[in-house]
Amino acid sequence: VQLQASGGGLVQAGGSLRLSCAASGSIFSIDAMGWYRQAPGKERELVAGVTRTGGSSNYADSVKGRFTISTAKNTVWLQMNSLKPEDTAVYYCYADGTWYNVSHLLTSRLWGKGTQVTVSS
């Protein structure tokens, strides 16, 4: 199973970016997907997460009202508006689910490669 993230880039403060992350491969089921971020010298932090059906989502306090997470068909998007320089980080998507693994099922969290988001002041 692979998670392919895209959509990062350089944007001015106040601008917008939309990240996407698609899961593909031997997927049995996905329970939740979301995004973490890690800025230089800081720990990785949860940005937003959403359940498979999209019925429940949660956000870091620092992004509430600015970021919106959505999901459909093994893909998760993060719409980021009113970006601030402090949003600069590498963003990592994750998927919590169950995967086909040879002769059995494996439940775990998978991570995508990070995508860089840089917000200039």
Side-chain angles (χ1 to χ4, degrees):
V1 178
Q2 290 185 332
L3 300 182
Q4 183 66 47
S6 62
L10 173 65
V11 65
Q12 289 187 334
S16 298
L17 283 174
R18 190 182 194 219
L19 305 182
S20 65
C21 177
S24 62
S26 302
I27 300 169
F28 178 78
S29 66
I30 292 179
D31 300 313
M33 299 183 77
W35 297 88
Y36 278 70
R37 68 185 180 187
Q38 188 167 21
K42 295 187 177 181
E43 294 186 353
R44 189 175 294 192
E45 64 172 353
L46 176 67
V47 177
V50 64
T51 55
R52 178 181 60 82
T53 61
S56 178
S57 59
N58 61 293
Y59 296 89
D61 287 343
S62 59
V63 307
K64 284 181 180 177
R66 300 188 297 121
F67 291 11
T68 303
I69 191 169
S70 58
T71 186
K73 295 182 180 180
N74 298 338
T75 299
V76 63
W77 296 272
L78 186 67
Q79 178 66 43
M80 305 186 293
N81 298 328
S82 302
L83 282 161
K84 304 175 181 180
E86 50 263 45
D87 294 318
T88 295
V90 177
Y91 285 68
Y92 298 89
C93 65
Y94 71 87
D96 294 333
T98 301
W99 330 107
Y100 292 104
N101 186 18
V102 189
S103 61
H104 61 280
L105 298 176
L106 175 66
T107 297
S108 68
R109 169 169 288 185
L110 298 180
W111 294 92
K113 293 182 179 180
T115 184
Q116 177 71 47
V117 171
T118 303
V119 184
S120 63
S121 58

